[in-house]
Each structure stands twice: as structure tokens, then as C-alpha cells.
Amino acid sequence: MTTPLIRAVLLIRDGGFASAVAGPAEILRLAGVAPRVLAGRPTRPRFRVTIASPDGGPVACVGGLTAQAEAALAEVGVPDLVLVGSSGISGKSIADGPADAGVSEWLRAAYDGGAVIAAVCSGVFQLGRAGLLDGRRATTHWAYADDLRRMFPKADVRPARMVIDDDRIVTAGGVNAASDLALHLVERFCGREEARDLANALVLDLPRAAQSEYAGWLGPSSHGDDAVMRVQRAIAARPEAAAGVDALAASVGLSPRSLARRFRAATGETVVECIQRLRVARNRRARLRGLK
């Protein structure tokens, strides 16, 4: 009996990264194909992938590339899976990125029709504009986390994570987390073994757990909680020698429980996760310096 193909629509728009859609398109199209070709077995494609733009026309991407869409959103029906690519990067706040009411309506309709809705990097903001992040855990590029929190306060933003799967909303970090996201979706729809075999065939890692090591940043800083900010700065000053939660709480006149609650609410991570993240970032910078 033939397994029905999983209908996937990958959305790309002007100013976005071609790689955030082209990479996942290749990964999804090669699920059930690449591992079997390499093993000399009959192929069994798992996804039917359509790259779409809002109007079906070509899209101008970052770096001067042009991507040709295969269809307009109005032509693709209700898919099983939607992946929204990154909307690009600029010196301005990502809040100034493209806001397309037609795309938002289409995403809501696809979600209401039962589709899994995924997005990577700044594409996560389009999910927020569609009202799909309310009450959901979500991640995005670590530098955009404060903007995401400010624009969509009902979302539970956790920027340390590479991929977050919350029911039928799946989000991923920076643009090159698109491969992590695509492999995660292969695992979700096709199983762990299929995802592992595909990762091996394409010489990819299975989805990485965190984007922390790529971000040597202090952490979310627009939360307005002075006590939490002082703790963040104390940790950032010497993460390798950071005190425990009890001592950090005492240093700002809070109980450990109160600090834990306020820190998590303000930053989207625990005190221990912050310490570990900054230790990894500092160690990574030290390793890179040693390679120069």
C-alpha cells in the first residue's frame, strides 16, 4: 500500500533568505530518497513540496539571489505542513519587517485546517502577526528575542532553544537553523529512524538543542526588572565563577524562589541555563581565539 505524500508548502517572500527555504525543500524532498539511493534500495518519497510566494511570482532574496515560486498561496489548498522562511535581516528592528495581512489570513486558515505551521528566524514574526504564538513556547534568532517578546507578549519566548515544537506550532532559531527545523519536521512526520538515516545521508547533524553557543550576548535586556538585570550582569562578568542561585538571590535582596520566578519570566530561561549558556559562549570564544 502506497503511503500518501505529506503536502508541504514552503513560503518565501521578498527580502528573505533563499537558503531558509531551499535547504528545507531539499531535505524534505530527499526524505525516503537519499538514504535509499545510497543503500541501493527503491526510493519512497515522503513529502510533496511546493515553494510558494504570496502572489506566485519570483522573489528577490538576500545576496542578490532570485527565487522562483512554484505557486501562489491561493493555489495550494490546505497543506499538512507549512514552513515560513526568514524575512531577512537589517539594521532596523525586525518589527519593521513585512506585515502581509493576506499571508496572515492564509496561515490562520491553514492552521484551522489542521496543518502544522513552522517558521525559522525572523519568519517567526509572521506567525505572531497571524495570532499563532499566543500561549505558545517559541524561539527565534537570539538577537530578535526582545522584539518578539515586545510585539507578542502572550508568547513564551525561549531564545536559547534551536527548535521548539509546541503542538502544531514549530519554531526555529537563526536562519541556518532551517536545516535543524527541516530534520525535526521529518522526524515529526516520518519518525526518528527516517530522520536519522536522512541526516546521515546528507552529512547533517540531527537537530541541535541550543543556539546558545552562537550568542555571546548578555540575554534579554528590555524586560525592565532591575534585580534580574543585576543578576544577568553579575553572571556575564564571570560566568565561570558565577555564584549559585541562593547567593545571587541574596545579592539582590530576593528569595531564591522569587529570583527564579522573576528571572524565568523576564528572560525566558532559568538562572542555571543562563550561567551554562554564557560559560559555553565564553569557552567557544576562547577556542576560536586559540585557532587564530
Side-chain angles (χ1 to χ4, degrees), residues 206-282:
L206 284 169
R208 296 164 289 175
Q211 57 177 342
S212 307
E213 66 176 291
Y214 305 99
W217 85 111
L218 177 62
S221 58
S222 63
H223 46 69
D225 191 320
D226 182 65
V228 169
M229 177 56 71
R230 282 185 284 152
V231 169
Q232 285 179 287
R233 288 173 178 156
I235 295 170
R238 295 188 65 199
E240 71 284 355
V245 176
D246 289 2
L248 288 168
S251 72
V252 293
L254 296 175
S255 70
R257 176 176 291 221
S258 179
L259 174 62
R261 176 180 54 79
R262 287 170 57 172
F263 198 96
R264 177 72 181 83
T267 71
E269 63 183 350
T270 68
V271 175
V272 172
E273 286 172 341
C274 179
I275 293 171
Q276 292 174 338
R277 173 173 61 77
L278 291 176
R279 283 176 177 171
V280 168
R282 177 161 294 192

Coordinates of all heavy atoms in Angstrom, one line a residue, residues 206-282:
L206 N 21.7 15.7 13.5 CA 20.3 15.8 13.9 C 20.1 17.1 14.6 O 21.1 17.7 15.1 CB 20.0 14.6 14.8 CG 19.8 13.2 14.1 CD1 19.7 12.1 15.1 CD2 18.5 13.3 13.2
P207 N 18.8 17.6 14.7 CA 18.6 18.9 15.2 C 19.4 19.2 16.5 O 19.3 18.5 17.5 CB 17.1 18.9 15.5 CG 16.6 18.0 14.4 CD 17.6 16.9 14.3
R208 N 20.1 20.3 16.5 CA 20.9 20.8 17.6 C 19.9 21.3 18.7 O 18.9 21.9 18.3 CB 21.9 21.9 17.2 CG 22.9 21.4 16.2 CD 23.6 22.6 15.5 NE 22.7 23.2 14.6 CZ 23.0 24.3 13.9 NH1 24.2 24.9 14.1 NH2 22.2 24.8 13.1
A209 N 20.3 21.1 19.9 CA 19.4 21.5 21.0 C 19.3 23.0 21.3 O 18.3 23.5 21.7 CB 19.8 20.8 22.3
A210 N 20.4 23.7 21.1 CA 20.5 25.1 21.5 C 21.3 25.9 20.5 O 22.1 25.5 19.8 CB 21.2 25.2 22.9
Q211 N 20.9 27.2 20.5 CA 21.7 28.2 19.7 C 22.5 29.1 20.7 O 23.1 30.1 20.3 CB 20.8 29.1 18.8 CG 19.7 29.8 19.5 CD 18.9 30.7 18.5 OE1 19.4 31.0 17.4 NE2 17.8 31.1 18.9
S212 N 22.6 28.7 21.9 CA 23.3 29.5 23.0 C 24.7 29.7 22.6 O 25.2 30.8 22.8 CB 23.2 28.7 24.3 OG 21.9 28.4 24.6
E213 N 25.4 28.7 22.1 CA 26.8 28.8 21.9 C 27.2 29.8 20.8 O 28.3 30.2 20.7 CB 27.5 27.5 21.6 CG 27.0 26.9 20.3 CD 27.8 25.6 20.0 OE1 29.0 25.6 19.7 OE2 27.2 24.5 20.0
Y214 N 26.2 30.2 20.0 CA 26.4 31.1 18.9 C 26.1 32.6 19.4 O 26.3 33.5 18.6 CB 25.5 30.8 17.7 CG 25.7 29.4 17.3 CD1 24.8 28.4 17.7 CD2 26.8 29.0 16.5 CE1 25.0 27.1 17.3 CE2 27.0 27.7 16.1 CZ 26.1 26.8 16.5 OH 26.3 25.5 16.2
A215 N 25.7 32.7 20.6 CA 25.3 34.0 21.1 C 26.0 34.4 22.3 O 25.7 34.0 23.4 CB 23.8 34.0 21.4
G216 N 27.1 35.2 22.2 CA 27.8 35.7 23.4 C 27.2 36.9 23.9 O 27.9 37.9 24.3
W217 N 25.9 37.0 24.0 CA 25.2 38.2 24.4 C 24.7 38.0 25.9 O 24.6 36.9 26.4 CB 24.0 38.5 23.5 CG 22.7 37.8 23.8 CD1 21.6 38.4 24.2 CD2 22.4 36.4 23.6 NE1 20.6 37.4 24.3 CE2 21.0 36.2 23.9 CE3 23.1 35.3 23.1 CZ2 20.4 35.0 23.9 CZ3 22.5 34.1 23.1 CH2 21.2 33.9 23.4
L218 N 24.5 39.1 26.5 CA 24.0 39.1 27.9 C 22.7 38.4 28.1 O 22.5 37.6 29.0 CB 23.9 40.5 28.4 CG 23.4 40.7 29.8 CD1 24.4 40.1 30.8 CD2 23.3 42.2 30.1
G219 N 21.8 38.5 27.2 CA 20.5 38.0 27.3 C 19.5 39.1 27.1 O 19.8 40.2 27.0
P220 N 18.2 38.7 27.1 CA 17.1 39.8 27.0 C 17.3 40.9 28.0 O 17.5 40.6 29.2 CB 15.8 39.0 27.3 CG 16.2 37.6 26.9 CD 17.6 37.4 27.3
S221 N 17.3 42.1 27.6 CA 17.6 43.2 28.5 C 16.5 44.3 28.5 O 16.7 45.3 29.2 CB 18.9 43.8 28.1 OG 18.9 44.3 26.7
S222 N 15.4 44.1 27.8 CA 14.4 45.1 27.8 C 13.2 44.8 28.7 O 12.2 45.4 28.6 CB 13.9 45.3 26.3 OG 13.3 44.1 25.9
H223 N 13.5 43.9 29.6 CA 12.4 43.4 30.5 C 12.0 44.4 31.6 O 10.9 44.3 32.2 CB 12.7 42.0 31.0 CG 14.1 41.9 31.6 ND1 14.5 42.6 32.8 CD2 15.2 41.2 31.2 CE1 15.7 42.3 33.0 NE2 16.2 41.5 32.1
G224 N 12.9 45.3 32.0 CA 12.6 46.3 33.0 C 12.7 45.8 34.4 O 12.4 46.6 35.3
D225 N 13.2 44.6 34.6 CA 13.4 44.1 36.0 C 14.8 44.4 36.4 O 15.7 43.7 36.0 CB 13.0 42.6 36.1 CG 12.9 42.1 37.5 OD1 13.8 42.5 38.3 OD2 12.1 41.2 37.8
D226 N 15.0 45.4 37.3 CA 16.4 45.8 37.6 C 17.1 44.7 38.4 O 18.3 44.5 38.2 CB 16.3 47.1 38.5 CG 17.7 47.6 38.9 OD1 18.4 48.0 38.0 OD2 18.0 47.5 40.1
A227 N 16.4 44.0 39.3 CA 17.1 42.9 40.0 C 17.6 41.8 39.1 O 18.7 41.3 39.2 CB 16.2 42.3 41.1
V228 N 16.8 41.5 38.1 CA 17.2 40.4 37.2 C 18.3 40.9 36.3 O 19.3 40.2 36.1 CB 16.0 40.0 36.3 CG1 16.4 39.2 35.1 CG2 14.9 39.3 37.1
M229 N 18.3 42.2 35.9 CA 19.4 42.7 35.1 C 20.7 42.7 35.9 O 21.8 42.4 35.4 CB 19.1 44.2 34.7 CG 20.2 44.9 33.9 SD 20.7 43.9 32.5 CE 19.3 44.2 31.4
R230 N 20.7 43.0 37.2 CA 21.9 43.0 38.0 C 22.4 41.6 38.1 O 23.6 41.4 38.1 CB 21.6 43.6 39.4 CG 21.6 45.1 39.4 CD 21.4 45.6 40.8 NE 20.1 45.5 41.3 CZ 19.7 45.3 42.6 NH1 20.7 45.3 43.5 NH2 18.5 45.2 43.0
V231 N 21.6 40.6 38.2 CA 22.0 39.2 38.3 C 22.6 38.8 36.9 O 23.6 38.2 36.8 CB 20.8 38.3 38.6 CG1 21.2 36.8 38.4 CG2 20.4 38.5 40.1
Q232 N 22.0 39.2 35.8 CA 22.5 38.9 34.5 C 23.9 39.5 34.3 O 24.8 38.8 33.8 CB 21.6 39.5 33.4 CG 20.3 38.8 33.2 CD 19.4 39.5 32.1 OE1 18.9 40.5 32.4 NE2 19.4 38.9 30.9
R233 N 24.1 40.7 34.8 CA 25.4 41.4 34.7 C 26.4 40.7 35.5 O 27.6 40.5 35.1 CB 25.3 42.8 35.0 CG 24.6 43.7 34.0 CD 24.4 45.1 34.4 NE 23.7 45.9 33.4 CZ 23.0 47.0 33.6 NH1 22.8 47.4 34.9 NH2 22.5 47.7 32.6
A234 N 26.0 40.2 36.7 CA 27.0 39.5 37.6 C 27.4 38.2 37.0 O 28.6 37.8 37.0 CB 26.3 39.3 39.0
I235 N 26.5 37.5 36.3 CA 26.8 36.2 35.7 C 27.7 36.5 34.5 O 28.7 35.8 34.3 CB 25.5 35.5 35.3 CG1 24.7 35.1 36.5 CG2 25.9 34.3 34.4 CD1 23.3 34.6 36.1
A236 N 27.3 37.5 33.7 CA 28.1 37.8 32.5 C 29.5 38.2 32.8 O 30.5 37.9 32.0 CB 27.4 38.9 31.7
A237 N 29.7 38.9 33.9 CA 31.1 39.3 34.3 C 32.0 38.2 34.5 O 33.2 38.2 34.0 CB 31.0 40.2 35.5
R238 N 31.6 37.1 35.1 CA 32.4 36.0 35.4 C 31.6 34.7 35.4 O 31.3 34.1 36.4 CB 33.2 36.1 36.7 CG 34.2 37.3 36.8 CD 35.0 37.2 38.0 NE 35.9 36.0 38.1 CZ 36.4 35.5 39.2 NH1 36.2 36.1 40.3 NH2 37.2 34.5 39.1
P239 N 31.1 34.3 34.2 CA 30.2 33.1 34.2 C 30.9 31.8 34.7 O 30.2 31.0 35.3 CB 29.9 32.9 32.7 CG 30.9 33.7 32.0 CD 31.3 34.8 32.9
E240 N 32.2 31.7 34.5 CA 32.9 30.5 35.0 C 33.0 30.5 36.5 O 33.2 29.4 37.1 CB 34.4 30.5 34.4 CG 35.3 31.5 35.0 CD 35.1 32.9 34.5 OE1 34.3 33.1 33.6 OE2 35.8 33.8 35.0
A241 N 32.8 31.6 37.2 CA 32.8 31.6 38.7 C 31.5 32.1 39.2 O 31.4 32.6 40.4 CB 34.0 32.5 39.1
A242 N 30.4 32.1 38.5 CA 29.1 32.6 38.9 C 28.6 31.8 40.2 O 28.8 30.6 40.3 CB 28.1 32.5 37.8
A243 N 28.1 32.6 41.1 CA 27.6 32.0 42.3 C 26.3 31.2 42.0 O 25.7 31.4 41.0 CB 27.3 33.1 43.4
G244 N 25.9 30.4 43.0 CA 24.6 29.7 42.9 C 23.4 30.6 43.0 O 23.5 31.8 43.3
V245 N 22.3 30.0 42.8 CA 21.0 30.8 42.8 C 20.8 31.4 44.2 O 20.4 32.6 44.2 CB 19.8 29.9 42.5 CG1 18.5 30.6 42.6 CG2 19.9 29.3 41.1
D246 N 21.1 30.7 45.2 CA 20.9 31.3 46.6 C 21.7 32.5 46.8 O 21.2 33.6 47.3 CB 21.3 30.2 47.7 CG 20.3 29.1 47.7 OD1 19.3 29.1 46.9 OD2 20.4 28.2 48.6
A247 N 23.0 32.5 46.4 CA 23.9 33.6 46.6 C 23.5 34.8 45.7 O 23.5 36.0 46.1 CB 25.3 33.2 46.4
L248 N 23.1 34.5 44.5 CA 22.7 35.5 43.5 C 21.4 36.2 44.0 O 21.3 37.4 43.9 CB 22.5 34.9 42.1 CG 23.8 34.5 41.4 CD1 23.5 33.7 40.2 CD2 24.6 35.8 41.0
A249 N 20.5 35.4 44.5 CA 19.3 36.0 45.1 C 19.6 36.9 46.2 O 19.0 38.0 46.3 CB 18.3 34.9 45.5
A250 N 20.4 36.5 47.1 CA 20.8 37.3 48.3 C 21.4 38.6 47.9 O 21.2 39.6 48.5 CB 21.7 36.5 49.2
S251 N 22.2 38.6 46.8 CA 22.9 39.8 46.4 C 22.0 40.9 45.9 O 22.4 42.0 45.8 CB 23.9 39.4 45.3 OG 23.2 39.1 44.0
V252 N 20.8 40.5 45.5 CA 19.8 41.5 45.0 C 18.6 41.6 46.0 O 17.5 42.2 45.6 CB 19.3 41.2 43.6 CG1 20.5 41.4 42.6 CG2 18.8 39.8 43.5
G253 N 18.7 41.0 47.2 CA 17.6 41.1 48.2 C 16.4 40.3 47.9 O 15.3 40.7 48.3
L254 N 16.5 39.2 47.1 CA 15.4 38.4 46.8 C 15.5 37.0 47.4 O 16.7 36.5 47.7 CB 15.2 38.2 45.3 CG 14.9 39.5 44.5 CD1 14.9 39.2 43.0 CD2 13.5 40.1 44.9
S255 N 14.4 36.3 47.6 CA 14.5 34.9 48.0 C 14.9 34.1 46.7 O 14.6 34.5 45.6 CB 13.2 34.4 48.5 OG 12.2 34.3 47.5
P256 N 15.5 32.9 46.8 CA 15.8 32.1 45.7 C 14.6 31.8 44.8 O 14.6 31.8 43.6 CB 16.4 30.8 46.3 CG 17.0 31.2 47.6 CD 16.0 32.3 48.1
R257 N 13.5 31.5 45.4 CA 12.2 31.2 44.7 C 11.8 32.4 43.9 O 11.4 32.3 42.7 CB 11.1 30.8 45.6 CG 9.8 30.5 44.9 CD 8.8 30.0 45.9 NE 9.1 28.6 46.3 CZ 8.2 27.7 46.4 NH1 6.9 27.9 46.2 NH2 8.6 26.5 46.8
S258 N 11.8 33.6 44.5 CA 11.4 34.8 43.8 C 12.3 35.1 42.7 O 11.8 35.5 41.6 CB 11.4 36.0 44.8 OG 10.9 37.2 44.2
L259 N 13.6 35.0 42.9 CA 14.6 35.3 41.8 C 14.3 34.3 40.6 O 14.3 34.7 39.5 CB 16.0 35.1 42.3 CG 17.1 35.2 41.1 CD1 17.0 36.6 40.4 CD2 18.5 34.9 41.7
A260 N 14.1 33.0 41.0 CA 13.9 32.0 39.9 C 12.7 32.4 39.1 O 12.7 32.3 37.9 CB 13.8 30.6 40.5
R261 N 11.6 32.8 39.8 CA 10.4 33.1 39.1 C 10.5 34.3 38.2 O 10.2 34.3 37.0 CB 9.2 33.3 40.1 CG 7.9 33.8 39.5 CD 6.9 34.0 40.5 NE 7.3 34.9 41.6 CZ 7.3 36.2 41.5 NH1 6.9 36.8 40.3 NH2 7.7 37.0 42.5
R262 N 11.1 35.4 38.8 CA 11.3 36.6 38.0 C 12.3 36.5 36.9 O 12.1 37.1 35.8 CB 11.7 37.8 39.0 CG 10.5 38.2 39.9 CD 10.9 39.1 41.0 NE 11.6 40.4 40.5 CZ 11.9 41.4 41.4 NH1 11.5 41.3 42.7 NH2 12.5 42.4 40.9
F263 N 13.4 35.8 37.1 CA 14.4 35.6 36.1 C 13.8 34.8 34.9 O 14.0 35.2 33.7 CB 15.6 34.8 36.6 CG 16.8 34.9 35.8 CD1 17.8 35.9 36.2 CD2 17.1 34.1 34.7 CE1 19.0 36.0 35.4 CE2 18.2 34.2 34.0 CZ 19.2 35.2 34.3
R264 N 13.0 33.8 35.2 CA 12.4 33.0 34.1 C 11.4 33.8 33.3 O 11.3 33.8 32.1 CB 11.7 31.8 34.7 CG 11.0 30.9 33.7 CD 12.0 30.2 32.8 NE 11.3 29.4 31.8 CZ 10.8 29.8 30.7 NH1 11.0 31.1 30.3 NH2 10.2 29.0 29.8
A265 N 10.6 34.6 34.1 CA 9.6 35.4 33.4 C 10.2 36.5 32.5 O 9.7 36.9 31.5 CB 8.7 36.1 34.5
A266 N 11.3 37.1 33.0 CA 12.0 38.2 32.3 C 12.8 37.8 31.1 O 12.9 38.5 30.1 CB 12.8 39.0 33.3
T267 N 13.5 36.6 31.2 CA 14.4 36.2 30.2 C 14.1 35.0 29.4 O 14.7 34.8 28.3 CB 15.8 36.0 30.9 OG1 15.7 34.7 31.6 CG2 16.2 37.1 31.8
G268 N 13.1 34.2 29.8 CA 12.8 33.0 29.1 C 13.7 31.9 29.4 O 13.6 30.8 28.7
E269 N 14.6 32.0 30.3 CA 15.5 30.9 30.7 C 15.7 30.9 32.2 O 15.4 31.9 32.9 CB 16.8 31.0 30.0 CG 17.6 32.2 30.3 CD 18.9 32.4 29.5 OE1 19.3 31.4 28.8 OE2 19.6 33.4 29.6
T270 N 16.2 29.8 32.8 CA 16.4 29.8 34.2 C 17.8 30.4 34.5 O 18.6 30.6 33.6 CB 16.4 28.3 34.7 OG1 17.5 27.6 34.2 CG2 15.1 27.6 34.4
V271 N 18.1 30.7 35.8 CA 19.4 31.2 36.2 C 20.5 30.2 35.8 O 21.5 30.6 35.2 CB 19.4 31.5 37.7 CG1 20.8 31.9 38.1 CG2 18.4 32.5 38.1
V272 N 20.3 28.9 36.0 CA 21.3 27.9 35.7 C 21.5 27.9 34.2 O 22.6 27.7 33.7 CB 20.9 26.5 36.2 CG1 21.8 25.4 35.7 CG2 20.9 26.6 37.8
E273 N 20.4 27.9 33.4 CA 20.6 27.9 31.9 C 21.4 29.1 31.4 O 22.2 29.0 30.5 CB 19.2 27.9 31.3 CG 18.5 26.6 31.4 CD 17.1 26.6 30.9 OE1 16.5 27.8 30.8 OE2 16.5 25.6 30.6
C274 N 21.2 30.3 32.1 CA 21.9 31.5 31.7 C 23.4 31.3 32.0 O 24.3 31.6 31.2 CB 21.4 32.7 32.5 SG 22.3 34.2 32.2
I275 N 23.7 30.8 33.2 CA 25.1 30.5 33.5 C 25.8 29.6 32.6 O 26.9 29.8 32.0 CB 25.2 30.0 35.0 CG1 24.8 31.0 36.0 CG2 26.6 29.5 35.3 CD1 24.6 30.5 37.4
Q276 N 25.1 28.5 32.3 CA 25.6 27.5 31.3 C 25.8 28.1 29.9 O 26.8 27.8 29.3 CB 24.7 26.3 31.3 CG 24.7 25.5 32.6 CD 23.7 24.3 32.6 OE1 22.7 24.4 31.8 NE2 23.9 23.4 33.4
R277 N 24.8 28.9 29.5 CA 24.9 29.5 28.2 C 26.1 30.4 28.0 O 26.9 30.3 27.1 CB 23.6 30.2 27.9 CG 23.7 31.0 26.6 CD 22.3 31.6 26.3 NE 21.9 32.5 27.3 CZ 22.3 33.8 27.4 NH1 23.3 34.3 26.7 NH2 21.8 34.6 28.4
L278 N 26.3 31.2 29.0 CA 27.4 32.2 29.0 C 28.8 31.5 29.2 O 29.8 31.9 28.6 CB 27.2 33.3 30.0 CG 26.1 34.2 29.7 CD1 25.9 35.3 30.8 CD2 26.3 34.9 28.3
R279 N 28.8 30.4 29.9 CA 30.0 29.6 30.0 C 30.4 29.0 28.7 O 31.6 29.1 28.3 CB 29.9 28.5 31.1 CG 30.0 29.0 32.5 CD 29.7 27.9 33.5 NE 29.9 28.4 34.9 CZ 29.5 27.7 35.9 NH1 29.0 26.4 35.8 NH2 29.7 28.2 37.2
V280 N 29.4 28.5 28.0 CA 29.7 27.9 26.7 C 30.1 28.9 25.7 O 31.1 28.7 24.9 CB 28.4 27.2 26.2 CG1 28.5 26.8 24.7 CG2 28.1 25.9 27.0
A281 N 29.5 30.1 25.7 CA 29.8 31.2 24.8 C 31.3 31.6 25.1 O 32.0 31.8 24.1 CB 28.9 32.3 24.9
R282 N 31.6 31.8 26.3 CA 33.0 32.2 26.6 C 34.0 31.2 26.2 O 35.1 31.5 25.7 CB 33.1 32.5 28.1 CG 34.5 32.9 28.6 CD 34.5 33.6 29.9 NE 33.9 34.9 29.8 CZ 33.9 35.9 30.7 NH1 34.6 35.7 31.8 NH2 33.3 37.0 30.6

